[in-house]
């Protein structure tokens, strides 16, 4: 190991001070800090869309379209599970609890994840997902003894838990058509019943199920209301089935309608109880059929279609709902909702982080939106038209940070909503702001991009404004002003907008007359439009395509332009038409770029059809993240937007299947450095991990010293608040056991921070 005396000015006094530091300990280092959190993925999804549920004791296990959650009824406690907690897929379709208490989750991909609550471990079964079947989703489970029966999109499989292997797979079940989806499986009095979308089959469970002669099939010709069987249950009247055209009971060898009120209706779930048979209808009702075969409504006007139905030993009823969690009817009490706090939707179309570190999300348009919501790191708060009728619609599709701590949300048809710094909600429409909407309906106002300048103005585009006022500005005194397109007033289909440090507004034109990049500078005189500067850039000026998807301003004031054919870098935004002002980013040539975010170290985070690419500050290095390369920790699906919280280094990646976050070292530097937070401390070497050095001023360098003041390593940091050290000296050797002093200093020596680290050599 190379040792040498430090040449850092003032080192002698620092080492002397740190000798006292050694005696009394490092409270900041002991407290931990960012250590252990760098490079950690976390997923957030909406778990409103219940697909299936299972009950064991007072614990409810729920499979949803955004992962799973456990709910302990007595304690009202939730535990959430997504890709980052061990699931192979968040798009769950089935759940079952086996006799050992292990929980089986099936997904639309065919992956099966088995969770052990005892030791919080996971086991994966990927045989179905890796099969050659074109459709391979898991639709149902039945656990009995050592056996798990698995209903899939193409048949039924039998899995033996003790051997942890498949025993058999049936692509054809008795007389039913081959390779039909198995929707439900039940074991009633030693007979296995299998419901499919093409009929029902039964067989004695002790007989060979691979023998066609073991099975008896039933279809509409045998009295079933429909061949689309959705559930099977025992009842006081015998075996009953739920179909898309009603519920039926087996009488001898034929089926007959159960009760008149359950005929000709879509019955999705059945469950037997001491009170009789409960039946859930897709129309949003639950009926109870008494032992005397009299049906009465149990619950009506549910907010959406039921998807699961359970009853516990106390007689409490649980109704899983499409998009609305679980309606819980405790015995003898009023109904309540079981739903963990979370986003209202898995559509993360647009993201923005405000100065407080709150993430804001807009969800969608054309009927797919569910309003907008915020996340402060702990709690999600939603804003929907059901909660706030003044919003006028749930189709809010863009989120942006405005002036004076405000947040703005662009709607598809109503105008724009603003949350002020105190949380007050304001909605600006054609009626109260002067917007003029599309030519066919001037009251239908679609706001595009929103951005604020350094004078407290909030700017936005008005898509296809019928009066030509395609740019609007909300001033610090809460008045509205409007601008026509000074380059070409007939071009009004203007969408996203950003503002650079020079006050220039960069605006995407999607106008079919002339797509490209519009730029505009009002020169600080809102009331004098005669001095405004306008310009327009296309492929003639060096853009790789005129079909622009996104624009961003980096930490140096440069402009980055994402298109359907790659990425451009405008290195001279004050004179963008000058020779060499626009250059293509060659590594992404021909690749669609749909979003760009810039972190505290000026790295660019770029979304592509394959995932996300992180470009270094100078663009010379690139790291790609995909769902496959991260083992599903980056949620699959299409990336809608990316945002960065510079105060924590968190990168938010919004997709159409949920939100992924990644913690990075790109944290804004501290204004005044003093003590360093080192983690983990003590640090064991050699190690696959690193020591996190937290608390750096901008552009710091770091020296690692022994307790004798000898330098074992020194390096420049990335420039932000955090740096990493791998516990090795300048020659790449792991340092010996001992106490080491970490000293960070700025280039001019004006700021120095220190910390103490214990190293244990294995």
């Amino acid at each position: 190991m190379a040792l040498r005396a430090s040449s850092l000015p003032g080192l002698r006094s620092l080492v002397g001070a740190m000798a006292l530091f050694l005696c009394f300990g490092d409270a900041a280092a002991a407290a931990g800090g960012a250590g252990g959190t760098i490079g950690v993925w976390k997923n957030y999804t909406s778990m409103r869309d219940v697909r299936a549920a299972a009950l064991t004791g007072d614990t409810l296990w729920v499979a949803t379209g955004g992962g799973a959650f456990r709910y302990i009824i007595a304690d009202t406690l939730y535990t959430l599970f997504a890709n980052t907690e061990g699931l192979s897929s968040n798009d769950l379709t089935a759940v079952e609890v086996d006799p050992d208490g292990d929980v089986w989750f099936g997904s639309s991909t065919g992956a099966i994840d088995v969770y052990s609550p005892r030791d919080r471990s996971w086991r994966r079964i990927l045989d179905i997902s890796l099969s050659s079947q074109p459709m391979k989703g898991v639709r149902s489970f039945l656990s009995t003894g050592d056996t798990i029966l698995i209903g899939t999109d193409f048949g039924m499989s039998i899995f033996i838990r003790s051997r942890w292997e498949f025993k058999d797979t049936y692509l054809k079940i008795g007389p039913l058509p081959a390779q039909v989806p198995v929707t439900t499986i039940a074991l009633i009095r030693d007979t296995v019943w299998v419901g499919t979308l093409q009929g029902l089959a039964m067989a004695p469970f002790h007989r060979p199920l691979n023998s066609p002669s073991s099975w008896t099939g039933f279809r509409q010709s045998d009295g079933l209301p429909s061949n689309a069987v959705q559930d099977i249950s025992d009842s006081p009247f015998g075996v009953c089935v739920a179909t898309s055209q009603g519920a039926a009971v087996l009488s001898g060898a034929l089926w007959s309608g159960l009760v008149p009120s359950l005929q000709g209706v879509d019955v999705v779930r059945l469950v037997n109880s001491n009170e009789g048979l409960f039946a859930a209808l897709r129309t949003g009702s639950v009926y109870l059929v008494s032992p005397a075969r009299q049906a009465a409504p149990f619950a009506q006007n549910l907010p959406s279609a039921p998807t699961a139905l359970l009853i516990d030993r106390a007689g409490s009823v649980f109704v899983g709902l499409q998009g609305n969690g679980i309606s819980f009817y405790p015995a003898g009490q009023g109904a309540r909702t079981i739903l963990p706090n979370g986003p209202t939707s898995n559509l993360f179309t647009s993201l923005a982080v405000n100065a407080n570190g709150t993430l804001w999300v807009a969800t969608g348009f054309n009927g797919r939106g569910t309003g907008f919501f915020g996340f402060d790191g702990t709690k999600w708060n939603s804003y929907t038209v059901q909660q706030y009728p003044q919003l006028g619609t749930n189709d809010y599709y863009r989120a942006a940070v405005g002036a004076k701590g405000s947040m703005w949300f662009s709607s598809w048809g109503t105008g724009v909503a603003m949350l002020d710094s105190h949380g007050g909600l304001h909605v600006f429409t054609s009626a109260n702001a002067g917007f003029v909407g599309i030519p066919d309906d001037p009251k239908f106002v679609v706001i595009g991009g929103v951005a604020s300048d350094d004078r407290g103005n909030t700017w936005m585009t008005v898509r296809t404004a019928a009066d030509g006022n395609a740019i609007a500005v909300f001033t610090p005194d809460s008045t509205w002003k409007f601008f026509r397109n000074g380059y070409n007033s007939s071009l009004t289909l203007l969408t996203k907008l950003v503002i650079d440090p020079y006050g220039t507004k960069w605006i995407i034109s999607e106008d079919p007359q002339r797509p490209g990049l519009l730029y505009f500078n009002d020169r600080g005189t809102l009331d004098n439009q005669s001095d405004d500067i306008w310009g327009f850039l296309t492929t003639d000026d060096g853009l790789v395509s005129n079909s622009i998807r996104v624009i961003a301003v980096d930490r140096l004031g440069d402009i980055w332009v994402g298109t359907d054919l790659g990425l451009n870098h405008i290195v001279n935004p004050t004179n963008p038409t000058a020779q060499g002002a626009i250059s293509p980013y060659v590594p992404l040539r021909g690749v669609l770029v749909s979003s760009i975010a810039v972190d505290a170290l000026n790295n660019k985070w770029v979304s592509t059809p394959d995932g996300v690419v992180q470009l270094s500050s100078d663009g010379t290095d690139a790291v790609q993240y995909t769902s496959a390369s991260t083992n599903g920790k980056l949620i699959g699906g299409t990336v809608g937007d990316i945002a960065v919280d510079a105060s924590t280094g968190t990168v938010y990646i919004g997709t159409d299947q949920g939100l992924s976050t990644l913690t990075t070292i790109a944290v804004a530097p501290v204004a005044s450095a003093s003590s360093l937070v080192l983690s983990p401390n003590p640090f064991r070497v050699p190690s696959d991990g690193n020591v996190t050095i937290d608390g750096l001023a901008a552009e710091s360098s770091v020296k690692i010293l022994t307790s004798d003041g000898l330098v074992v390593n020194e390096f420049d940091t990335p420039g932000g608040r955090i740096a990493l050290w791998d516990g090795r000296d300048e020659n790449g050797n792991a340092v010996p056991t001992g106490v080491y002093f970490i000293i960070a200093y700025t280039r001019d020596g004006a700021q120095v921070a220190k910390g103490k680290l214990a190293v244990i050599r294995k």
Side-chain angles (χ1 to χ4, degrees):
M1 179 177 66
L3 298 177
R4 55 187 175 80
S6 172
S7 59
L8 178 65
L11 176 63
R12 184 180 301 276
S13 61
L14 279 172
V15 172
M18 291 179 73
L20 294 175
F21 191 51
L22 173 62
C23 296
F24 293 104
D26 182 358
T37 64
I38 303 301
V40 173
W41 289 90
K42 174 72 176 174
N43 288 343
Y44 299 91
T45 57
S46 172
M47 297 193 182
R48 302 180 66 90
D49 190 15
V50 174
R51 306 287 183 71
L55 190 62
T56 173
D58 70 341
T59 301
L60 184 67
W61 295 91
V62 183
T64 79
F69 68 86
R70 173 177 60 190
Y71 179 71
I72 300 177
I73 300 167
D75 300 326
T76 65
L77 294 178
Y78 293 93
T79 306
L80 310 186
F81 303 91
N83 300 74
T84 45
E85 285 70 46
L87 287 172
S88 300
S89 168
N90 290 333
D91 191 19
L92 300 181
T93 49
V95 62
E96 177 75 308
V97 182
D98 70 24
D100 292 332
D102 292 341
V103 188
W104 294 63
F105 295 105
S107 73
S108 63
T109 67
I112 297 173
D113 297 301
V114 184
Y115 177 68
S116 171
R118 297 179 301 280
D119 57 10
R120 301 179 183 178
S121 64
W122 291 89
R123 300 179 77 178
R124 290 184 177 180
I125 302 171
L126 301 178
D127 304 59
I128 294 172
S129 65
L130 297 175
S131 71
S132 60
Q133 296 294 329
M135 301 294 290
K136 56 190 75 175
V138 174
R139 288 176 172 253
S140 56
F141 289 116
L142 173 67
S143 172
T144 175
D146 193 35
T147 301
I148 303 289
L149 283 74
I150 306 168
T152 70
D153 281 338
F154 55 84
M156 184 175 71
S157 296
I158 296 180
F159 190 87
I160 306 301
R161 293 190 298 118
S162 60
R163 299 202 298 266
W164 206 252
E165 65 181 18
F166 282 92
K167 177 182 178 182
D168 214 340
T169 293
Y170 309 115
L171 301 181
K172 190 176 188 324
I173 300 170
L176 300 182
Q179 293 186 279
V180 296
V182 171
T183 55
T184 182
I185 308 171
L187 185 63
I188 302 173
R189 292 181 289 279
D190 202 37
T191 297
V192 60
W193 295 81
V194 179
T196 79
L197 294 182
Q198 293 294 325
L200 176 71
M202 58 167 282
F205 192 50
H206 62 274
R207 294 190 58 182
L209 298 183
N210 58 357
S211 172
S213 63
S214 298
W215 294 90
T216 301
F218 303 95
R219 307 193 76 198
Q220 279 186 280
S221 57
D222 302 297
L224 287 179
S226 164
N227 287 333
V229 176
Q230 300 179 131
D231 206 2
I232 307 165
S233 177
D234 199 4
S235 78
F237 340 108
V239 177
C240 293
V241 296
T243 79
S244 61
Q245 290 297 317
V249 60
L250 182 62
S251 302
L254 295 175
W255 297 84
S256 60
L258 181 59
V259 291
S261 55
L262 297 182
Q263 293 181 17
V265 293
D266 192 349
V267 182
V268 292
R269 290 291 179 265
L270 300 172
V271 65
N272 195 22
S273 75
N274 294 331
E275 299 178 68
L277 182 70
F278 284 85
L281 279 61
R282 194 175 301 277
T283 53
S285 299
V286 177
Y287 281 80
L288 173 60
V289 183
S290 70
R293 286 181 72 168
Q294 298 294 316
F298 173 81
Q300 292 184 299
N301 301 315
L302 294 170
S304 56
T307 55
L309 186 61
L310 300 168
I311 297 180
D312 68 12
R313 288 171 293 189
S316 300
V317 179
F318 304 80
V319 185
L321 299 171
Q322 182 178 344
N324 284 287
I326 288 182
S327 287
F328 176 35
Y329 300 85
Q333 302 178 40
R336 67 175 189 259
T337 298
I338 297 175
L339 180 64
N341 178 251
T344 60
S345 167
N346 283 325
L347 282 176
F348 285 74
T349 302
S350 176
L351 313 178
V353 179
N354 68 11
N356 297 325
T358 299
L359 172 73
W360 289 94
V361 181
T363 54
F365 58 94
N366 282 345
R368 299 187 68 197
T370 56
F372 53 89
F373 46 85
F375 179 56
D376 63 6
T378 302
K379 185 178 180 181
W380 298 84
N381 290 303
S382 61
Y383 293 79
T384 67
V385 73
Q386 289 77 20
Q387 299 165 288
Y388 302 93
Q390 64 266 41
L391 289 175
T393 181
N394 278 329
D395 282 344
Y396 284 84
Y397 75 107
R398 291 208 60 78
V401 179
K404 297 192 294 186
S406 61
M407 290 299 306
W408 293 74
F409 305 92
S410 305
S411 83
W412 194 264
T414 300
V416 65
M418 184 261 279
L419 285 175
D420 62 33
S421 59
H422 303 291
L425 177 63
H426 311 266
V427 181
F428 300 104
T429 67
S430 60
N432 62 6
F435 298 130
V436 176
I438 63 176
D440 290 343
D441 183 359
K443 293 183 179 180
F444 190 89
V445 178
V446 179
I447 300 298
V450 178
S452 62
D453 63 24
D454 58 7
R455 290 175 285 117
N457 299 304
T458 299
W459 296 78
M460 63 200 71
T461 59
V462 185
R463 290 175 57 118
T464 325
D467 65 348
N469 287 328
I471 300 172
V473 57
F474 186 71
T475 67
D477 62 0
S478 299
T479 60
W480 288 93
K481 295 183 181 297
F482 295 90
F483 290 76
R484 299 171 73 85
N485 183 343
Y487 173 78
N488 183 337
S489 61
S490 68
L491 303 181
T492 59
L493 183 47
L494 307 182
T495 58
K496 297 178 182 178
L497 173 152
V498 298
I499 302 176
D500 69 19
Y502 312 103
T504 301
K505 274 62 73 176
W506 299 83
I507 304 169
I508 297 175
S509 169
E510 295 184 14
D511 201 297
Q513 298 180 67
R514 190 162 171 78
L517 184 60
L518 175 72
Y519 60 93
F520 150 59
N521 195 311
D522 66 300
R523 305 183 72 176
T525 58
L526 290 179
D527 295 321
N528 180 13
Q529 299 189 16
S530 63
D531 64 350
D532 296 349
I533 299 172
W534 294 86
F536 202 88
L537 303 175
T538 67
T539 52
D540 293 338
D541 303 289
L543 295 180
V544 295
S545 171
N546 292 331
S547 180
I548 300 172
R549 305 303 175 90
V550 64
I551 40 179
V553 183
D554 73 12
R555 297 274 170 176
L556 301 178
D558 293 354
I559 310 300
W560 293 78
V561 184
T563 78
D564 62 338
L565 294 177
L567 186 64
N568 275 110
H569 180 194
I570 302 179
V571 296
N572 187 1
T574 59
N575 189 10
T577 58
Q579 184 72 26
I582 303 176
S583 62
Y585 184 71
V586 176
L588 291 180
R589 187 187 299 273
V591 177
L592 185 150
V593 173
S594 55
S595 59
I596 305 169
V598 181
D599 67 23
L601 300 182
N602 207 32
N603 300 311
K604 269 64 71 175
W605 295 78
V606 178
S607 68
T608 73
D610 294 326
V612 174
V613 178
Q614 178 194 0
L615 308 180
S616 61
S617 59
D618 60 3
T620 57
D621 296 316
V623 178
Q624 185 173 34
Y625 300 92
T626 67
S627 181
S629 70
T630 61
N631 292 320
K633 293 178 181 177
L634 172 57
I635 293 180
T638 302
V639 175
D641 202 8
I642 306 174
V644 176
D645 184 353
S647 66
T648 64
T650 303
V651 178
Y652 295 95
I653 304 170
T655 79
D656 57 0
Q657 296 181 15
L659 175 74
S660 293
T661 67
L662 175 64
T663 54
T664 75
I665 65 170
V667 183
V670 299
S672 178
S674 56
S675 61
L676 299 174
V677 177
L678 309 172
S679 180
N681 193 359
F683 181 57
R684 289 171 171 80
V685 296
S687 171
D688 293 333
N690 296 287
V691 175
T692 299
I693 305 169
D694 193 350
L696 302 173
E699 305 298 332
S700 291
S701 297
V702 168
K703 288 182 183 286
I704 314 293
L705 298 90
T706 68
S707 57
D708 297 329
L710 297 177
V711 177
V712 299
N713 205 339
E714 61 180 311
F715 49 87
D716 293 331
T717 70
R721 198 186 83 190
I722 292 176
L724 304 175
W725 178 49
D726 60 4
R728 297 180 180 274
D729 63 21
E730 291 178 327
N731 297 322
N733 301 312
V735 299
T737 296
V739 175
Y740 292 82
F741 299 114
I742 316 295
I743 301 177
Y745 55 96
T746 55
R747 291 174 180 173
D748 59 4
Q751 295 200 54
V752 178
K754 55 188 180 295
K756 180 192 65 179
L757 177 72
V759 173
I760 300 173
R761 178 76 175 264
K762 297 177 185 177

